[in-house]
């Protein structure tokens, strides 16, 4: 038996929808499921318009392009995120500027943003990391004061809430991923959300090679094929109906982990996945930090768990230490979290006895 860090849950309705889409002949990027998925996902997040894309990375690129980010511009991103957040900025010939993490809840630290703002700064991309929302009031206040766009990267946090409001509903545009390990999946897939009709229209246009509405095969500028297929959306429509159920299951799994690992936290050996008082975390990946006081290092623990058939993942490597972004800059919190953090198995298919098995093994390893 091997327990994966993540696996999708695909039900009968997903299959039924895909068969319907295949039989209808609408297997590319036109078809009823695309429109339904865009409309329903936007509604779920409390946003007016949805623009479905081929994946979350191109959703970020599309958002940046639609906002006119280009050569010479700077965009603020957290150092601790998946590489796609920074790469999308680079695709625009703009420069990602890295900000350190908050020590308590691991997302971008708003108090460290202002010192990175220059006359070239055009936007901030807060990332709701591992399912925990960013401090959006503070980020929106900074954006207002400096006249910056906000693009939320909500790839890992569908349904998470900041002060009772869903993430993805704060920024000028928000971007989601529906990769197989995400809160809901379409295989590969993504979406941009916005309340601005003009921006939505621009993103639809850019997604489809900027084809003129009045003249077929007339293109004023360079665009992209970033479209989602109707087959992907067919899966998405069915998955979305279960998102609240998945969130509740993830929160239940988090509770089980917290109960079982509490004794390690009390001994100062681990730090458990946080949830700030203003946050509803969806625990996309239930994560812990290994404290320096523990006898076993993060890497050793991961190796031993792997040998026992339990898959885990290390935290992301902070962007500023990757070869293409290497800046020699020190961002101590992000570096420390990356050194000590790991994601535990977090699929909605887990049950209590599996969590007990995993935590029993962790406790046994950490006892030495
Ligand atoms: C924070 C973050 N942003 C962007 C992406 C990119 O999404 P995708 O893999 O769908 O391109 C991911 C996930 O993979 C992610 O975790």
């Amino acid at each position: 038996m091997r327990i994966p860090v993540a696996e999708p849950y695909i039900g009968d309705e997903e299959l039924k929808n895909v068969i319907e889409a295949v039989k209808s002949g609408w297997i590319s990027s036109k078809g009823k499921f695309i429109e339904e998925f865009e409309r329903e996902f936007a509604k779920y997040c409390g946003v007016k318009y949805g623009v479905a894309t081929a994946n979350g990375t191109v959703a970020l690129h599309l958002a940046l392009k639609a906002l006119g980010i280009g050569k010479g511009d700077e965009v603020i991103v957290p150092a601790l995120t998946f590489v796609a957040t920074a790469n999308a900025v680079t695709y625009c010939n703009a420069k990602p500027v890295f900000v350190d993490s908050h020590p308590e809840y691991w997302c971008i630290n708003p108090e460290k943003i202002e010192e990175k703002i220059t006359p070239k700064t055009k936007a901030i991309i807060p990332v709701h990391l591992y399912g925990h929302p960013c401090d959006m009031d503070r980020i929106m206040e900074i954006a207002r004061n400096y006249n910056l766009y906000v693009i939320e990267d909500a790839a890992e946090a569908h349904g998470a809430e900041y002060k009772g409001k869903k993430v993805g509903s704060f920024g000028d545009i928000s971007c989601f991923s529906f990769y197989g390990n995400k809160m809901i999946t379409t295989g590969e897939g993504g979406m941009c959300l916005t309340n601005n009709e003009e921006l939505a229209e621009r993103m639809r246009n850019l997604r489809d090679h900027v084809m003129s509405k009045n003249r077929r095969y007339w293109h004023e500028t360079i665009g992209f094929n970033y479209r989602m297929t109707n087959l992907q959306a067919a899966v998405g429509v069915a998955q979305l109906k279960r998102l609240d159920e998945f969130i509740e299951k993830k929160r239940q799994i988090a509770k089980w982990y917290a109960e079982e690992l509490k004794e390690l936290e009390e001994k100062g050996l681990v730090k458990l996945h946080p949830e700030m008082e203003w946050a509803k975390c969806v625990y996309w990946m239930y994560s812990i930090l290994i404290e320096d006081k523990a006898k076993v290092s993060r890497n050793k623990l991961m190796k031993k768990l792997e040998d026992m058939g339990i898959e885990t993942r290390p935290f992301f490597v902070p962007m500023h230490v990757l070869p293409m972004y290497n800046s020699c800059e020190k961002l101590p919190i992000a570096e420390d979290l990356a050194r000590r953090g790991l994601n535990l198995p977090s699929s909605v298919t887990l049950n209590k006895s599996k969590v007990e098995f995993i935590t029993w093994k962790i406790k046994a390893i950490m006892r030495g």
Side-chain angles (χ1 to χ4, degrees), residues 257-258 260-273 286-294 296 301 340 342 344 362-363 366:
Y257 272 125
E260 294 298 326
L261 295 175
K262 199 162 158 243
E263 60 179 89
L264 293 184
E265 185 169 59
E266 282 166 0
K267 286 184 190 145
L269 302 179
V270 303
K271 194 150 209 96
L272 301 179
H273 201 132
Y286 189 85
S287 308
I288 58 172
L289 303 178
I290 306 304
E291 300 284 28
D292 286 330
K293 201 178 134 189
V296 185
L301 173 66
R340 298 191 292 120
L342 74 154
L344 300 178
I362 293 173
K363 284 186 269 190
M366 297 207 64

PDB file of all heavy atoms in Angstrom, residues 257-258 260-273 286-294 296 301 340 342 344 362-363 366:
ATOM      1  N   TYR A 257      -5.163  15.436  11.658  1.00  0.00           N
ATOM      2  CA  TYR A 257      -3.707  15.601  11.766  1.00  0.00           C
ATOM      3  C   TYR A 257      -3.355  16.403  13.022  1.00  0.00           C
ATOM      4  O   TYR A 257      -2.448  16.035  13.769  1.00  0.00           O
ATOM      5  CB  TYR A 257      -3.155  16.342  10.538  1.00  0.00           C
ATOM      6  CG  TYR A 257      -2.781  15.453   9.367  1.00  0.00           C
ATOM      7  CD1 TYR A 257      -3.327  15.676   8.106  1.00  0.00           C
ATOM      8  CD2 TYR A 257      -1.851  14.429   9.507  1.00  0.00           C
ATOM      9  CE1 TYR A 257      -2.973  14.879   7.014  1.00  0.00           C
ATOM     10  CE2 TYR A 257      -1.492  13.632   8.424  1.00  0.00           C
ATOM     11  CZ  TYR A 257      -2.054  13.860   7.184  1.00  0.00           C
ATOM     12  OH  TYR A 257      -1.692  13.074   6.113  1.00  0.00           O
ATOM     13  N   ALA A 258      -4.078  17.503  13.226  1.00  0.00           N
ATOM     14  CA  ALA A 258      -3.758  18.390  14.354  1.00  0.00           C
ATOM     15  C   ALA A 258      -3.934  17.650  15.680  1.00  0.00           C
ATOM     16  O   ALA A 258      -3.101  17.769  16.589  1.00  0.00           O
ATOM     17  CB  ALA A 258      -4.625  19.640  14.299  1.00  0.00           C
ATOM     18  N   GLU A 260      -3.731  14.418  16.221  1.00  0.00           N
ATOM     19  CA  GLU A 260      -2.730  13.357  16.370  1.00  0.00           C
ATOM     20  C   GLU A 260      -1.320  13.900  16.585  1.00  0.00           C
ATOM     21  O   GLU A 260      -0.492  13.248  17.229  1.00  0.00           O
ATOM     22  CB  GLU A 260      -2.743  12.439  15.129  1.00  0.00           C
ATOM     23  CG  GLU A 260      -4.016  11.633  14.952  1.00  0.00           C
ATOM     24  CD  GLU A 260      -4.276  10.661  16.096  1.00  0.00           C
ATOM     25  OE1 GLU A 260      -3.306  10.121  16.656  1.00  0.00           O
ATOM     26  OE2 GLU A 260      -5.464  10.455  16.434  1.00  0.00           O
ATOM     27  N   LEU A 261      -1.043  15.082  16.005  1.00  0.00           N
ATOM     28  CA  LEU A 261       0.333  15.606  16.074  1.00  0.00           C
ATOM     29  C   LEU A 261       0.521  16.657  17.175  1.00  0.00           C
ATOM     30  O   LEU A 261       1.619  17.182  17.350  1.00  0.00           O
ATOM     31  CB  LEU A 261       0.737  16.201  14.713  1.00  0.00           C
ATOM     32  CG  LEU A 261       0.838  15.192  13.558  1.00  0.00           C
ATOM     33  CD1 LEU A 261       1.116  15.899  12.229  1.00  0.00           C
ATOM     34  CD2 LEU A 261       1.924  14.134  13.824  1.00  0.00           C
ATOM     35  N   LYS A 262      -0.580  16.913  17.905  1.00  0.00           N
ATOM     36  CA  LYS A 262      -0.536  17.951  18.947  1.00  0.00           C
ATOM     37  C   LYS A 262       0.601  17.699  19.947  1.00  0.00           C
ATOM     38  O   LYS A 262       1.309  18.620  20.349  1.00  0.00           O
ATOM     39  CB  LYS A 262      -1.880  17.945  19.678  1.00  0.00           C
ATOM     40  CG  LYS A 262      -2.172  19.193  20.427  1.00  0.00           C
ATOM     41  CD  LYS A 262      -3.650  19.295  20.739  1.00  0.00           C
ATOM     42  CE  LYS A 262      -3.831  20.216  21.915  1.00  0.00           C
ATOM     43  NZ  LYS A 262      -4.391  19.603  23.088  1.00  0.00           N
ATOM     44  N   GLU A 263       0.777  16.436  20.328  1.00  0.00           N
ATOM     45  CA  GLU A 263       1.814  16.134  21.331  1.00  0.00           C
ATOM     46  C   GLU A 263       3.209  16.494  20.821  1.00  0.00           C
ATOM     47  O   GLU A 263       4.051  16.939  21.602  1.00  0.00           O
ATOM     48  CB  GLU A 263       1.740  14.667  21.766  1.00  0.00           C
ATOM     49  CG  GLU A 263       1.935  13.679  20.642  1.00  0.00           C
ATOM     50  CD  GLU A 263       1.889  12.223  21.099  1.00  0.00           C
ATOM     51  OE1 GLU A 263       0.785  11.663  21.116  1.00  0.00           O
ATOM     52  OE2 GLU A 263       2.961  11.679  21.435  1.00  0.00           O
ATOM     53  N   LEU A 264       3.443  16.336  19.512  1.00  0.00           N
ATOM     54  CA  LEU A 264       4.757  16.725  18.955  1.00  0.00           C
ATOM     55  C   LEU A 264       4.916  18.239  18.992  1.00  0.00           C
ATOM     56  O   LEU A 264       6.005  18.758  19.226  1.00  0.00           O
ATOM     57  CB  LEU A 264       4.922  16.221  17.518  1.00  0.00           C
ATOM     58  CG  LEU A 264       5.017  14.704  17.302  1.00  0.00           C
ATOM     59  CD1 LEU A 264       5.265  14.402  15.830  1.00  0.00           C
ATOM     60  CD2 LEU A 264       6.126  14.075  18.146  1.00  0.00           C
ATOM     61  N   GLU A 265       3.786  18.944  18.741  1.00  0.00           N
ATOM     62  CA  GLU A 265       3.860  20.412  18.786  1.00  0.00           C
ATOM     63  C   GLU A 265       4.122  20.880  20.220  1.00  0.00           C
ATOM     64  O   GLU A 265       4.935  21.773  20.452  1.00  0.00           O
ATOM     65  CB  GLU A 265       2.573  21.037  18.246  1.00  0.00           C
ATOM     66  CG  GLU A 265       2.699  22.550  18.179  1.00  0.00           C
ATOM     67  CD  GLU A 265       1.576  23.239  17.408  1.00  0.00           C
ATOM     68  OE1 GLU A 265       0.414  23.083  17.802  1.00  0.00           O
ATOM     69  OE2 GLU A 265       1.874  23.933  16.436  1.00  0.00           O
ATOM     70  N   GLU A 266       3.431  20.235  21.176  1.00  0.00           N
ATOM     71  CA  GLU A 266       3.624  20.633  22.577  1.00  0.00           C
ATOM     72  C   GLU A 266       5.062  20.409  23.042  1.00  0.00           C
ATOM     73  O   GLU A 266       5.568  21.135  23.884  1.00  0.00           O
ATOM     74  CB  GLU A 266       2.631  19.875  23.464  1.00  0.00           C
ATOM     75  CG  GLU A 266       1.246  20.488  23.375  1.00  0.00           C
ATOM     76  CD  GLU A 266       0.131  19.599  23.947  1.00  0.00           C
ATOM     77  OE1 GLU A 266       0.439  18.494  24.427  1.00  0.00           O
ATOM     78  OE2 GLU A 266      -1.029  20.027  23.886  1.00  0.00           O
ATOM     79  N   LYS A 267       5.708  19.414  22.459  1.00  0.00           N
ATOM     80  CA  LYS A 267       7.123  19.149  22.812  1.00  0.00           C
ATOM     81  C   LYS A 267       8.078  20.048  22.017  1.00  0.00           C
ATOM     82  O   LYS A 267       9.290  19.912  22.126  1.00  0.00           O
ATOM     83  CB  LYS A 267       7.460  17.684  22.511  1.00  0.00           C
ATOM     84  CG  LYS A 267       6.851  16.713  23.510  1.00  0.00           C
ATOM     85  CD  LYS A 267       7.312  15.293  23.199  1.00  0.00           C
ATOM     86  CE  LYS A 267       6.537  14.287  24.019  1.00  0.00           C
ATOM     87  NZ  LYS A 267       6.288  13.031  23.298  1.00  0.00           N
ATOM     88  N   GLY A 268       7.525  20.913  21.158  1.00  0.00           N
ATOM     89  CA  GLY A 268       8.365  21.826  20.367  1.00  0.00           C
ATOM     90  C   GLY A 268       9.089  21.138  19.223  1.00  0.00           C
ATOM     91  O   GLY A 268      10.119  21.611  18.748  1.00  0.00           O
ATOM     92  N   LEU A 269       8.561  19.997  18.746  1.00  0.00           N
ATOM     93  CA  LEU A 269       9.242  19.247  17.683  1.00  0.00           C
ATOM     94  C   LEU A 269       8.699  19.571  16.293  1.00  0.00           C
ATOM     95  O   LEU A 269       9.422  19.442  15.301  1.00  0.00           O
ATOM     96  CB  LEU A 269       9.126  17.731  17.946  1.00  0.00           C
ATOM     97  CG  LEU A 269       9.693  17.251  19.277  1.00  0.00           C
ATOM     98  CD1 LEU A 269       9.497  15.757  19.444  1.00  0.00           C
ATOM     99  CD2 LEU A 269      11.179  17.596  19.377  1.00  0.00           C
ATOM    100  N   VAL A 270       7.424  19.940  16.220  1.00  0.00           N
ATOM    101  CA  VAL A 270       6.854  20.328  14.928  1.00  0.00           C
ATOM    102  C   VAL A 270       5.968  21.564  15.101  1.00  0.00           C
ATOM    103  O   VAL A 270       5.540  21.871  16.217  1.00  0.00           O
ATOM    104  CB  VAL A 270       5.977  19.205  14.269  1.00  0.00           C
ATOM    105  CG1 VAL A 270       6.739  17.929  14.067  1.00  0.00           C
ATOM    106  CG2 VAL A 270       4.694  18.976  15.038  1.00  0.00           C
ATOM    107  N   LYS A 271       5.718  22.229  14.002  1.00  0.00           N
ATOM    108  CA  LYS A 271       4.726  23.314  13.983  1.00  0.00           C
ATOM    109  C   LYS A 271       3.633  22.865  13.029  1.00  0.00           C
ATOM    110  O   LYS A 271       3.919  22.394  11.925  1.00  0.00           O
ATOM    111  CB  LYS A 271       5.401  24.599  13.494  1.00  0.00           C
ATOM    112  CG  LYS A 271       4.566  25.791  13.755  1.00  0.00           C
ATOM    113  CD  LYS A 271       5.411  27.038  13.981  1.00  0.00           C
ATOM    114  CE  LYS A 271       4.712  28.010  14.897  1.00  0.00           C
ATOM    115  NZ  LYS A 271       5.075  27.942  16.267  1.00  0.00           N
ATOM    116  N   LEU A 272       2.384  23.004  13.447  1.00  0.00           N
ATOM    117  CA  LEU A 272       1.274  22.523  12.626  1.00  0.00           C
ATOM    118  C   LEU A 272       0.802  23.597  11.650  1.00  0.00           C
ATOM    119  O   LEU A 272       1.062  24.793  11.840  1.00  0.00           O
ATOM    120  CB  LEU A 272       0.108  22.113  13.533  1.00  0.00           C
ATOM    121  CG  LEU A 272       0.434  21.013  14.543  1.00  0.00           C
ATOM    122  CD1 LEU A 272      -0.793  20.698  15.399  1.00  0.00           C
ATOM    123  CD2 LEU A 272       0.939  19.743  13.856  1.00  0.00           C
ATOM    124  N   HIS A 273       0.071  23.148  10.634  1.00  0.00           N
ATOM    125  CA  HIS A 273      -0.461  24.061   9.607  1.00  0.00           C
ATOM    126  C   HIS A 273      -1.303  25.152  10.283  1.00  0.00           C
ATOM    127  O   HIS A 273      -2.245  24.852  11.015  1.00  0.00           O
ATOM    128  CB  HIS A 273      -1.339  23.259   8.643  1.00  0.00           C
ATOM    129  CG  HIS A 273      -1.524  23.913   7.319  1.00  0.00           C
ATOM    130  ND1 HIS A 273      -1.365  23.248   6.134  1.00  0.00           N
ATOM    131  CD2 HIS A 273      -1.845  25.184   6.983  1.00  0.00           C
ATOM    132  CE1 HIS A 273      -1.588  24.069   5.125  1.00  0.00           C
ATOM    133  NE2 HIS A 273      -1.881  25.247   5.615  1.00  0.00           N
ATOM    134  N   TYR A 286      -2.082  19.649   3.604  1.00  0.00           N
ATOM    135  CA  TYR A 286      -1.821  19.794   5.034  1.00  0.00           C
ATOM    136  C   TYR A 286      -0.307  19.734   5.243  1.00  0.00           C
ATOM    137  O   TYR A 286       0.344  18.774   4.826  1.00  0.00           O
ATOM    138  CB  TYR A 286      -2.522  18.720   5.871  1.00  0.00           C
ATOM    139  CG  TYR A 286      -2.390  19.058   7.334  1.00  0.00           C
ATOM    140  CD1 TYR A 286      -3.298  19.925   7.939  1.00  0.00           C
ATOM    141  CD2 TYR A 286      -1.323  18.587   8.085  1.00  0.00           C
ATOM    142  CE1 TYR A 286      -3.146  20.300   9.266  1.00  0.00           C
ATOM    143  CE2 TYR A 286      -1.160  18.958   9.409  1.00  0.00           C
ATOM    144  CZ  TYR A 286      -2.088  19.812   9.991  1.00  0.00           C
ATOM    145  OH  TYR A 286      -1.924  20.194  11.301  1.00  0.00           O
ATOM    146  N   SER A 287       0.227  20.760   5.904  1.00  0.00           N
ATOM    147  CA  SER A 287       1.687  20.917   5.955  1.00  0.00           C
ATOM    148  C   SER A 287       2.164  21.129   7.381  1.00  0.00           C
ATOM    149  O   SER A 287       1.437  21.689   8.211  1.00  0.00           O
ATOM    150  CB  SER A 287       2.101  22.122   5.102  1.00  0.00           C
ATOM    151  OG  SER A 287       1.542  21.997   3.809  1.00  0.00           O
ATOM    152  N   ILE A 288       3.382  20.694   7.639  1.00  0.00           N
ATOM    153  CA  ILE A 288       3.982  20.928   8.954  1.00  0.00           C
ATOM    154  C   ILE A 288       5.421  21.419   8.782  1.00  0.00           C
ATOM    155  O   ILE A 288       6.024  21.230   7.728  1.00  0.00           O
ATOM    156  CB  ILE A 288       3.973  19.646   9.848  1.00  0.00           C
ATOM    157  CG1 ILE A 288       4.713  18.479   9.160  1.00  0.00           C
ATOM    158  CG2 ILE A 288       2.550  19.243  10.220  1.00  0.00           C
ATOM    159  CD1 ILE A 288       4.903  17.255  10.060  1.00  0.00           C
ATOM    160  N   LEU A 289       5.934  22.048   9.843  1.00  0.00           N
ATOM    161  CA  LEU A 289       7.347  22.438   9.873  1.00  0.00           C
ATOM    162  C   LEU A 289       8.035  21.574  10.919  1.00  0.00           C
ATOM    163  O   LEU A 289       7.476  21.340  11.993  1.00  0.00           O
ATOM    164  CB  LEU A 289       7.506  23.902  10.293  1.00  0.00           C
ATOM    165  CG  LEU A 289       6.792  24.979   9.476  1.00  0.00           C
ATOM    166  CD1 LEU A 289       7.064  26.358  10.112  1.00  0.00           C
ATOM    167  CD2 LEU A 289       7.251  24.954   8.026  1.00  0.00           C
ATOM    168  N   ILE A 290       9.216  21.122  10.599  1.00  0.00           N
ATOM    169  CA  ILE A 290      10.008  20.371  11.576  1.00  0.00           C
ATOM    170  C   ILE A 290      10.893  21.373  12.322  1.00  0.00           C
ATOM    171  O   ILE A 290      11.677  22.107  11.703  1.00  0.00           O
ATOM    172  CB  ILE A 290      10.895  19.287  10.886  1.00  0.00           C
ATOM    173  CG1 ILE A 290      10.022  18.383  10.007  1.00  0.00           C
ATOM    174  CG2 ILE A 290      11.683  18.489  11.923  1.00  0.00           C
ATOM    175  CD1 ILE A 290       8.874  17.697  10.702  1.00  0.00           C
ATOM    176  N   GLU A 291      10.749  21.416  13.642  1.00  0.00           N
ATOM    177  CA  GLU A 291      11.523  22.385  14.432  1.00  0.00           C
ATOM    178  C   GLU A 291      12.978  21.915  14.550  1.00  0.00           C
ATOM    179  O   GLU A 291      13.257  20.706  14.510  1.00  0.00           O
ATOM    180  CB  GLU A 291      10.910  22.524  15.834  1.00  0.00           C
ATOM    181  CG  GLU A 291       9.464  22.999  15.829  1.00  0.00           C
ATOM    182  CD  GLU A 291       9.289  24.484  15.544  1.00  0.00           C
ATOM    183  OE1 GLU A 291      10.135  25.078  14.844  1.00  0.00           O
ATOM    184  OE2 GLU A 291       8.287  25.045  16.010  1.00  0.00           O
ATOM    185  N   ASP A 292      13.888  22.871  14.726  1.00  0.00           N
ATOM    186  CA  ASP A 292      15.310  22.511  14.800  1.00  0.00           C
ATOM    187  C   ASP A 292      15.618  21.632  16.016  1.00  0.00           C
ATOM    188  O   ASP A 292      16.598  20.889  16.008  1.00  0.00           O
ATOM    189  CB  ASP A 292      16.167  23.788  14.813  1.00  0.00           C
ATOM    190  CG  ASP A 292      16.207  24.416  13.418  1.00  0.00           C
ATOM    191  OD1 ASP A 292      16.103  23.653  12.428  1.00  0.00           O
ATOM    192  OD2 ASP A 292      16.300  25.650  13.312  1.00  0.00           O
ATOM    193  N   LYS A 293      14.778  21.756  17.035  1.00  0.00           N
ATOM    194  CA  LYS A 293      14.974  20.959  18.253  1.00  0.00           C
ATOM    195  C   LYS A 293      14.792  19.451  18.000  1.00  0.00           C
ATOM    196  O   LYS A 293      15.317  18.623  18.755  1.00  0.00           O
ATOM    197  CB  LYS A 293      13.910  21.445  19.251  1.00  0.00           C
ATOM    198  CG  LYS A 293      14.203  21.166  20.684  1.00  0.00           C
ATOM    199  CD  LYS A 293      13.105  21.741  21.553  1.00  0.00           C
ATOM    200  CE  LYS A 293      12.684  20.728  22.603  1.00  0.00           C
ATOM    201  NZ  LYS A 293      11.494  21.146  23.339  1.00  0.00           N
ATOM    202  N   ALA A 294      14.034  19.098  16.936  1.00  0.00           N
ATOM    203  CA  ALA A 294      13.767  17.676  16.661  1.00  0.00           C
ATOM    204  C   ALA A 294      15.067  16.963  16.279  1.00  0.00           C
ATOM    205  O   ALA A 294      15.941  17.559  15.653  1.00  0.00           O
ATOM    206  CB  ALA A 294      12.756  17.556  15.528  1.00  0.00           C
ATOM    207  N   VAL A 296      15.295  14.485  14.237  1.00  0.00           N
ATOM    208  CA  VAL A 296      15.256  14.058  12.832  1.00  0.00           C
ATOM    209  C   VAL A 296      15.050  15.282  11.931  1.00  0.00           C
ATOM    210  O   VAL A 296      14.180  16.111  12.203  1.00  0.00           O
ATOM    211  CB  VAL A 296      14.080  13.079  12.617  1.00  0.00           C
ATOM    212  CG1 VAL A 296      14.072  12.522  11.207  1.00  0.00           C
ATOM    213  CG2 VAL A 296      14.140  11.955  13.640  1.00  0.00           C
ATOM    214  N   LEU A 301      13.114  12.600   7.712  1.00  0.00           N
ATOM    215  CA  LEU A 301      11.731  12.183   7.985  1.00  0.00           C
ATOM    216  C   LEU A 301      11.032  11.798   6.675  1.00  0.00           C
ATOM    217  O   LEU A 301      10.376  10.747   6.588  1.00  0.00           O
ATOM    218  CB  LEU A 301      10.966  13.319   8.679  1.00  0.00           C
ATOM    219  CG  LEU A 301       9.467  13.102   8.869  1.00  0.00           C
ATOM    220  CD1 LEU A 301       9.204  11.952   9.849  1.00  0.00           C
ATOM    221  CD2 LEU A 301       8.786  14.381   9.390  1.00  0.00           C
ATOM    222  N   ARG A 340      12.382  23.600   6.310  1.00  0.00           N
ATOM    223  CA  ARG A 340      11.770  22.792   7.370  1.00  0.00           C
ATOM    224  C   ARG A 340      10.363  22.277   7.054  1.00  0.00           C
ATOM    225  O   ARG A 340       9.803  21.483   7.789  1.00  0.00           O
ATOM    226  CB  ARG A 340      11.700  23.623   8.662  1.00  0.00           C
ATOM    227  CG  ARG A 340      13.058  24.037   9.177  1.00  0.00           C
ATOM    228  CD  ARG A 340      13.016  24.604  10.562  1.00  0.00           C
ATOM    229  NE  ARG A 340      12.342  25.895  10.670  1.00  0.00           N
ATOM    230  CZ  ARG A 340      11.264  26.112  11.426  1.00  0.00           C
ATOM    231  NH1 ARG A 340      10.730  25.147  12.127  1.00  0.00           N
ATOM    232  NH2 ARG A 340      10.726  27.322  11.477  1.00  0.00           N
ATOM    233  N   LEU A 342       7.079  20.471   5.101  1.00  0.00           N
ATOM    234  CA  LEU A 342       6.684  19.383   4.196  1.00  0.00           C
ATOM    235  C   LEU A 342       5.173  19.257   4.145  1.00  0.00           C
ATOM    236  O   LEU A 342       4.470  19.596   5.096  1.00  0.00           O
ATOM    237  CB  LEU A 342       7.331  18.048   4.578  1.00  0.00           C
ATOM    238  CG  LEU A 342       6.838  17.275   5.786  1.00  0.00           C
ATOM    239  CD1 LEU A 342       7.137  15.789   5.625  1.00  0.00           C
ATOM    240  CD2 LEU A 342       7.541  17.774   7.033  1.00  0.00           C
ATOM    241  N   LEU A 344       2.012  16.819   3.845  1.00  0.00           N
ATOM    242  CA  LEU A 344       1.624  15.429   4.156  1.00  0.00           C
ATOM    243  C   LEU A 344       0.515  14.992   3.193  1.00  0.00           C
ATOM    244  O   LEU A 344      -0.124  15.846   2.556  1.00  0.00           O
ATOM    245  CB  LEU A 344       1.121  15.350   5.603  1.00  0.00           C
ATOM    246  CG  LEU A 344       2.139  15.761   6.680  1.00  0.00           C
ATOM    247  CD1 LEU A 344       1.493  15.682   8.065  1.00  0.00           C
ATOM    248  CD2 LEU A 344       3.382  14.875   6.623  1.00  0.00           C
ATOM    249  N   ILE A 362       4.952   9.012  11.866  1.00  0.00           N
ATOM    250  CA  ILE A 362       5.715  10.259  12.099  1.00  0.00           C
ATOM    251  C   ILE A 362       6.186  10.301  13.561  1.00  0.00           C
ATOM    252  O   ILE A 362       7.349  10.590  13.852  1.00  0.00           O
ATOM    253  CB  ILE A 362       4.863  11.509  11.766  1.00  0.00           C
ATOM    254  CG1 ILE A 362       4.575  11.577  10.261  1.00  0.00           C
ATOM    255  CG2 ILE A 362       5.549  12.797  12.229  1.00  0.00           C
ATOM    256  CD1 ILE A 362       3.602  12.664   9.836  1.00  0.00           C
ATOM    257  N   LYS A 363       5.258   9.967  14.468  1.00  0.00           N
ATOM    258  CA  LYS A 363       5.609  10.024  15.898  1.00  0.00           C
ATOM    259  C   LYS A 363       6.710   9.016  16.229  1.00  0.00           C
ATOM    260  O   LYS A 363       7.640   9.319  16.968  1.00  0.00           O
ATOM    261  CB  LYS A 363       4.364   9.792  16.754  1.00  0.00           C
ATOM    262  CG  LYS A 363       3.449  11.033  16.796  1.00  0.00           C
ATOM    263  CD  LYS A 363       2.285  10.881  17.733  1.00  0.00           C
ATOM    264  CE  LYS A 363       1.084  10.321  17.021  1.00  0.00           C
ATOM    265  NZ  LYS A 363      -0.158  10.362  17.805  1.00  0.00           N
ATOM    266  N   MET A 366      10.010  10.310  14.929  1.00  0.00           N
ATOM    267  CA  MET A 366      10.513  11.481  15.669  1.00  0.00           C
ATOM    268  C   MET A 366      10.925  11.141  17.094  1.00  0.00           C
ATOM    269  O   MET A 366      11.704  11.867  17.697  1.00  0.00           O
ATOM    270  CB  MET A 366       9.479  12.601  15.622  1.00  0.00           C
ATOM    271  CG  MET A 366       9.295  13.038  14.178  1.00  0.00           C
ATOM    272  SD  MET A 366       8.766  14.678  13.869  1.00  0.00           S
ATOM    273  CE  MET A 366      10.017  15.700  14.463  1.00  0.00           C
TER     274      MET A 366
END
